[in-house]
Amino acid sequence: MNPVEVLASSSGTGGSGSGGGTVDFSGAATPVVQLINSLLGPVISVVVAVAAVYCVILGVKLAKADEPQERENALCQTGKITCLLNLMERNSRRRSVYSKGQKN
């Protein structure tokens, strides 16, 4: 059961003396969820592209570094960005496989 169904099936205290009833949020929540799902792919793509460019800049900084500490810092930052790129790419793959299995 998804959160929209839980909210839709929860009973509320109806206003102006009505005994109580159900509140249906599925009509309001569905467009918001669809908007978030449709924007998630492009946002992840932009973030991954910016991170890839930043990783290249850090690689150039690593190549130009003269002192060992500068090299160590640039190498550490490059490794962090590369790990984040891999995690985001795996997450986007998992999300796309999950969303293809769902029925709309």
Side-chain angles (χ1 to χ4, degrees):
M1 195 178 243
N2 66 23
V4 174
E5 291 173 357
V6 170
L7 286 174
S9 65
S10 67
S11 61
T13 61
S16 46
S18 64
T22 61
V23 180
D24 185 18
F25 291 111
S26 62
T30 303
V32 174
V33 171
Q34 288 176 348
L35 177 69
I36 291 172
N37 285 338
S38 67
L39 290 178
L40 196 60
V43 169
I44 288 178
S45 298
V46 168
V47 170
V48 167
V50 169
V53 169
Y54 186 63
C55 197
V56 169
I57 291 170
L58 287 175
V60 170
K61 188 187 286 189
L62 174 66
K64 287 184 175 182
D66 293 331
E67 296 179 19
Q69 183 152 358
E70 288 179 10
R71 283 183 180 267
E72 186 177 322
N73 287 341
L75 186 61
C76 183
Q77 289 177 351
T78 305
K80 289 177 188 177
I81 295 295
T82 305
C83 288
L84 287 174
L85 284 172
N86 285 333
L87 288 173
M88 289 181 68
E89 187 261 337
R90 286 182 184 182
N91 188 24
S92 66
R93 253 198 241 159
R94 186 178 303 135
R95 185 167 180 79
S96 66
V97 169
Y98 174 72
S99 64
K100 286 180 185 173
Q102 286 183 337
K103 294 180 180 177
N104 290 336

